[in-house]
Amino acid sequence: MDLKKLASALIPDDDLISADKYEEIYPRRSLAKGAEVTRLAPSPTGFIHLGNLFSALADERTAHTTGGIFYLRIEDTDEKRKVDGAVESVIRSLKYFGIKFDEGAEIQSDLNFYGPYYQRRRAKIYRTFAKKLIEEGRAYPCFCTEEELDAVRAEQNSLKLVTGYYGKYAKCRNLSEEQIYSNLRQGKPFVIRLKSMGDVNNKSVFHDAIKGDITVTENDQDVVILKSDGIPTYHFAHAIDDHFMRTTLVIRGEEWLSSLPIHIELFKALGFEAPRYAHTSSLMKIDGETKRKLSKRKDPELSLDYYRSAGYYPEAVVRYLLTILNSNFEEWEMKNPSADWRDFKFRIDKMSRSGTLFDLDKLSDISRTLVSQLSAEECFAFLKSWVDEFGTPSDKLHFKDEAYIIRILNLIMGVGGKKRRKDIERAEQGVRLMDYFFDDTFKPQYSYRFDAETVNAVLEKFAKLYDCSDDNSVWFSKVKTVAAEVGFCPETSEYKKNPEAWRGSVSDAAEILRIAVTGSPNSPDLCTIMNILGKERSLSRLASARV
Ligand code: GLU
């Protein structure tokens, strides 16, 4: 058969350049020895998940600790799953967690020499190489219909055989020249398949950068490389792109491990040196008695947006992922408590080989610790970034007054002081704790433990004595005065000796004031709260809290 003629009949494009030319267009990268080129290659479905960040972190660390390059390629061959804005969302989400690309789709960079970085824009390259494989007798057209393929699959299933297009089931592999041209004349749709030379009886040892030495069986499947619309399959695009983008290490989920034999054969057939591979294990969670993969349907924590919208401290997510990426990270962190996580020597070969347990409680714990270490300014910036994106209109308004917020933070989070609040893991919790400092979000539910007369007396009497410039001890002596006037014991120690003898104590008087000013019987130092609120607002709260 005249294969050149066949290739031209199947892929008639006459504007294709020669395959060799691509080697010149995309030359080997001139990087130092040992520098790794890695990539994140998501489909633009709009759903960016923890697994993407997990992989991206491994990619980014591997590239940047070796002086290499980390780039973004968009695998948009499936038009149906494409969502507008998905690429920006990937970039934005990863940037939020401190991960940046050096080059790639939508990345502003002087290094974008290996594009286009969208697979749909690379159609010519794929067609060039599919054509080349046809000319070399390593690819052929397949005219089988869906129904025919379904029937083959059903037969294989009933015989308990491996399913797929191989051996005697690869019907179109042996079509005669006449049959092919007759099909083409009839306008039958066709795909292009790889003509596999493999034999499943041949096994070899393959070194995976994470899993170590594994046994792989040769591929014998004549997989589709170009679909009937000329769009490549993942397998083909992967081989072409990772070769011409000069990826040195492909880090991807272990769900691709079963396709590895196909990829090994494709690289060989194309005459390309294969990159090294690192297959990451899946993120698992404990669900009752069982351990299972994190699922998009069941687990909101799989989505990266979850962490942003709930307002986890972004670095907590990264640090937690590093603890599960490399088991020695925690020990390093303990020895270097204030070091940047980027100083940790990440090693791909130290990654877990099987199911990695993801524990949201542990992440929350790290988030609480990190939030409790923030300076007032850092804490403000953290909360504000959440408010800007997810806060209510009143939150946004409140955060315009940085000085006021910082005073609140100093008090409620203890920022700048020694006594730090350690129970805040998410921005939203911190923001809600401030609600009573603003009249529009102050929604008190007065629930006093004393009769109306006593409550009103405490509130009125204290209002008369209150002066915003009082320091803590003057403020407290005034509470004592008011307590005595309503028949409460003004001294706590005395009260404790004989509680039955009194209607209440100075702390009961303080509680009435606290409920009036903050809406709750629990709050940080009330004198400071009133000082932050200012005289006018404090007095108006005392007035409106009467029963
Ligand atoms: N587009 C593939 C995915 O999202 C990429 C896999 C790979 O990294 O090669 O799963």
Side-chain angles (χ1 to χ4, degrees), residues 39 41-43 75 234 238 250-252 255-256:
R39 84 302 192 267
S43 300
E75 307 218 319
Y234 166 79
H238 154 52
V250 170
I251 303 175
R252 62 182 181 186
E255 65 276 15
W256 294 110

Side-chain angles (χ1 to χ4, degrees), residues 183-255:
N183 284 340
L184 289 179
R185 271 196 303 279
Q186 290 169 52
K188 285 196 182 167
F190 63 88
V191 298
I192 305 289
R193 287 185 184 272
L194 169 75
K195 186 180 274 183
S196 172
M197 299 298 184
D199 178 341
V200 284
N201 294 312
N202 294 339
K203 300 192 191 299
S204 58
V205 174
F206 182 88
H207 187 78
D208 182 275
I210 295 174
K211 308 250 176 224
D213 285 344
I214 51 175
T215 304
V216 291
T217 303
E218 256 178 34
N219 171 59
D220 68 345
Q221 297 266 353
D222 285 0
V223 292
V224 175
I225 56 173
L226 277 194
K227 296 186 242 178
S228 54
D229 54 3
I231 300 294
T233 54
Y234 166 79
H235 307 307
F236 196 51
H238 154 52
I240 304 275
D241 293 346
D242 281 311
H243 174 68
F244 286 116
M245 294 182 180
R246 307 293 175 179
T247 309
T248 59
L249 181 64
V250 170
I251 303 175
R252 62 182 181 186
E254 64 186 356
E255 65 276 15

Side-chain angles (χ1 to χ4, degrees), residues 126-186:
Y126 307 127
R127 294 172 78 73
T128 303
F129 284 88
K131 201 166 180 176
K132 181 167 183 275
L133 289 182
I134 300 165
E135 285 169 3
E136 292 167 351
R138 288 304 313 271
Y140 64 90
C142 166
F143 299 90
C144 287
T145 61
E146 279 304 318
E147 293 71 38
E148 284 171 304
L149 295 174
D150 285 347
V152 169
R153 198 171 308 119
E155 183 187 330
Q156 291 166 334
N157 277 332
S158 73
L159 295 171
K160 296 203 167 26
L161 291 173
V162 175
T163 55
Y165 210 80
Y166 62 94
K168 68 171 184 167
Y169 296 105
K171 254 177 50 193
C172 293
R173 189 175 167 130
N174 301 315
L175 289 183
S176 67
E177 199 165 355
E178 294 77 60
Q179 284 167 312
I180 293 176
Y181 284 105
S182 146
N183 284 340
L184 289 179
R185 271 196 303 279
Q186 290 169 52

Side-chain angles (χ1 to χ4, degrees), residues 471-492:
D471 67 15
N472 228 295
S473 70
V474 176
W475 182 90
F476 195 55
S477 70
K478 288 182 177 175
V479 182
K480 283 183 180 175
T481 307
V482 170
E485 283 178 19
V486 300
F488 285 2
C489 179
E491 297 300 333
T492 312

Side-chain angles (χ1 to χ4, degrees), residues 31 83 138 188-189 244 246 275 309 317 322 327 359 380 401 426 433 443 456:
L31 293 168
V83 165
R138 288 304 313 271
K188 285 196 182 167
F244 286 116
R246 307 293 175 179
S309 60
V317 180
L322 281 168
S327 56
D359 181 352
F380 175 79
D401 191 348
R426 293 178 288 110
L433 280 177
K443 301 260 161 15
N456 291 345

Side-chain angles (χ1 to χ4, degrees), residues 39-43 49 52 55 59 73-76 81 119 234 238 242 250-253 255-256 263 277:
R39 84 302 192 267
L40 191 71
S43 300
H49 56 82
N52 294 131
S55 259
D59 280 315
R73 179 171 74 230
I74 300 300
E75 307 218 319
D76 56 353
R81 296 176 64 211
Q119 289 185 327
Y234 166 79
H238 154 52
D242 281 311
V250 170
I251 303 175
R252 62 182 181 186
E255 65 276 15
W256 294 110
H263 304 151
Y277 287 88

